[in-house]
Amino acid sequence: MTFRTLDDAADLSGRTALVRVDFNVPMEGGKVSDDTRLKAALPTIHRLREAGAKVVLLAHFDRPKGERVASMSLRPVVEPLELLLHGPVRFADDCVGDEAKAAVADLDAGGVLLLENVRFHKGEEMNDPAFAAQLAELGDLYVNDAFSAAHRAHASTEGLARLLPAYAGEAMKRELQALDAALGAPQKPVIGIVGGAKVSTKLDLLKNLVAKLDYLAIGGGMANTFLHAQGVDVGGSLCEKDLADTAREIIEEARQKGCELLLPVDVVVAKGVKPGIESGVRALDRIAADDLILDAGPETVARLARAMDLSKTLIWNGPLGVFEVPPFDKATVAAAKHAAELAKAGKLVAVAGGGDTVAALNHAGVADDMTFVSTAGGAFLEWMEGKVLPGVEALRA
């Protein structure tokens, strides 16, 4: 993988860097309630400031669909960002036009300016060349530090990168290096864990992974569809029975590609999804008609752990059960802790991502022990599916 980073940028002193960041942060009562994404941008901002560049931040917030929506302004981000930077952050009420130009011109070297929500303009999501050109007028170079938006071919993620010298920011660089280590040029054997509710939402992912992995463990509700496809009676469990043929095709493709598919060999069932409800472990031939499969069983987890022990690289997307409702979190927590122990010991490169995955690893208390955890959501999933990400392609050397 070759892409341009700030290591490749010439003298930055006195130059204006347009930095695409992910400031689509959680808000409560008009205030930022979680500053994780703001913190992720700090290394790039610090590096540019130390080099004497003007730092002009571009970001979107929510989905205003090309209209000015007061509740979707980025202005509330200014104060928490100032606290993190221990210094002033200027704000412009627009991201293009005379006001934006004046704000950039008035910025000192090393100064930081946040422009208003790029999605207030229809040209952003349309990747309109004219809008991208307006953005480009504001700077000398472009830095993309928002991997989470890199799967969108928008003006501020792809169009602008074609008009100015373009580089990956520090967070983007780390993300791309981690993903390359997981799927691009991984240490083998490679194991994948894919969970979630439905096979239908992860067909592209499964088809891509069986061609690349040595082991693929399937968990969550989607595992029920595979069990059904092999003739297992899954009782009243969530199951996409109309995808049985597709599941069998994936099973056969995995066999042909030499990917060992790890499906549940035992399951945890209950009559409903409630905290503390009576539950039990069942062999696959002992599932009752009114049983709901809500987690993987202990032997399934033990087999997964053994496969991790044999692997050098792990890529994980999706929980093994309904982890939000104890006791159906046991399999996910046990597998996560085992992966984290291997990663901490330097025996496994463990890369994970996707919203539910991040929440599950945090629930297990091991997110910080994994090699890398991506918070990118859709972009992470599309990367795992083998799709081209426009915002990344624009940075290739």
Side-chain angles (χ1 to χ4, degrees):
M1 175 185 293
T2 54
F3 50 89
R4 295 181 299 275
T5 71
L6 287 174
D7 296 333
D8 303 307
D11 181 21
L12 296 170
S13 181
R15 303 179 77 198
T16 301
L18 301 181
V19 186
R20 182 55 162 94
V21 291
D22 178 7
F23 283 178
N24 193 27
V25 293
M27 295 265 196
E28 289 181 12
K31 293 185 179 295
V32 175
S33 57
D34 184 335
D35 64 0
T36 301
R37 290 180 175 177
L38 305 186
K39 289 177 178 175
L42 296 181
T44 295
I45 295 173
H46 286 318
R47 179 166 181 175
L48 290 167
R49 293 181 75 188
E50 288 166 4
K54 295 182 178 184
V55 182
V56 179
L57 304 174
L58 300 168
H60 76 273
F61 179 70
D62 214 328
R63 294 185 173 89
K65 299 182 179 178
E67 304 291 337
R68 275 194 168 269
V69 180
S71 62
M72 297 181 191
S73 172
L74 281 167
R75 187 178 285 277
V77 170
V78 172
E79 184 178 347
L81 185 58
E82 286 180 328
L83 291 173
L84 291 171
L85 289 172
H86 305 292
V89 174
R90 303 278 298 278
F91 183 77
D93 284 321
D94 206 345
C95 61
V96 291
D98 291 341
E99 184 167 350
K101 288 180 182 178
V104 172
D106 196 40
L107 195 64
D108 294 327
V112 179
L113 168 67
L114 174 62
L115 301 182
E116 184 56 283
N117 193 341
V118 290
R119 289 189 180 175
F120 281 1
H121 294 264
K122 286 184 168 64
E124 164 63 5
E125 294 185 81
M126 292 168 58
N127 199 8
D128 177 43
F131 180 65
Q134 282 185 289
L135 291 171
E137 288 177 4
L138 301 175
D140 303 306
L141 67 144
Y142 170 77
V143 181
N144 193 340
D145 212 29
F147 178 79
S148 56
H151 60 314
R152 307 295 188 199
H154 292 172
S156 70
T157 60
E158 198 270 347
L160 184 53
R162 305 293 184 184
L163 300 176
L164 294 174
Y167 308 94
E170 299 297 283
M172 172 75 88
K173 178 173 75 171
R174 184 165 177 258
E175 184 102 32
L176 294 178
Q177 288 173 338
L179 295 180
D180 191 49
L183 275 184
Q187 298 178 52
K188 288 181 169 285
V190 187
I191 182 170
I193 298 175
V194 177
K198 295 183 177 181
V199 173
S200 56
T201 62
K202 296 190 177 180
L203 280 176
D204 290 344
L205 174 60
L206 295 171
K207 289 176 180 178
N208 185 49
L209 291 183
V210 294
K212 294 186 174 184
L213 303 182
D214 300 287
Y215 306 97
L216 175 58
I218 297 177
M222 61 194 305
N224 302 338
T225 300
F226 281 84
L227 293 176
H228 166 75
Q230 294 185 311
V232 175
D233 185 348
V234 296
S237 309
L238 174 66
C239 179
E240 294 176 286
K241 295 183 178 179
D242 58 321
L243 288 179
D245 287 342
T246 302
R248 284 189 283 267
E249 289 172 9
I250 292 172
I251 291 169
E252 175 58 22
E253 188 167 349
R255 187 189 66 77
Q256 291 180 9
K257 299 288 186 181
C259 174
E260 184 177 342
L261 215 55
L262 303 175
L263 295 172
V265 292
D266 59 345
V267 294
V268 176
V269 303
K271 305 303 183 187
V273 188
K274 297 177 183 177
I277 194 172
E278 183 180 349
S279 62
V281 177
R282 297 282 187 275
L284 298 183
D285 59 353
R286 293 288 185 268
I287 300 169
D290 59 346
D291 278 340
L292 303 179
I293 298 172
L294 300 173
D295 200 9
E299 181 50 42
T300 299
V301 175
R303 191 171 65 134
L304 175 55
R306 290 193 292 271
M308 284 190 219
D309 291 340
L310 296 171
S311 301
K312 295 292 185 183
T313 303
L314 163 69
I315 186 163
W316 188 338
N317 176 260
L320 299 177
V322 187
F323 77 95
E324 304 94 337
V325 184
F328 310 114
D329 58 346
K330 288 183 179 177
T332 300
V333 169
K337 287 185 174 180
H338 192 76
E341 287 173 6
L342 292 172
K344 282 178 70 177
K347 297 179 180 178
L348 186 72
V349 174
V351 176
D356 286 348
T357 315
V358 177
L361 294 176
N362 283 328
H363 175 72
V366 299
D368 291 341
D369 295 329
M370 303 292 276
T371 308
F372 184 80
V373 177
S374 171
T375 58
F380 181 84
L381 191 58
E382 289 196 19
W383 183 281
M384 286 182 68
E385 290 169 352
K387 295 179 179 177
V388 171
L389 306 188
V392 173
E393 289 301 302
L395 303 175
R396 288 198 182 275

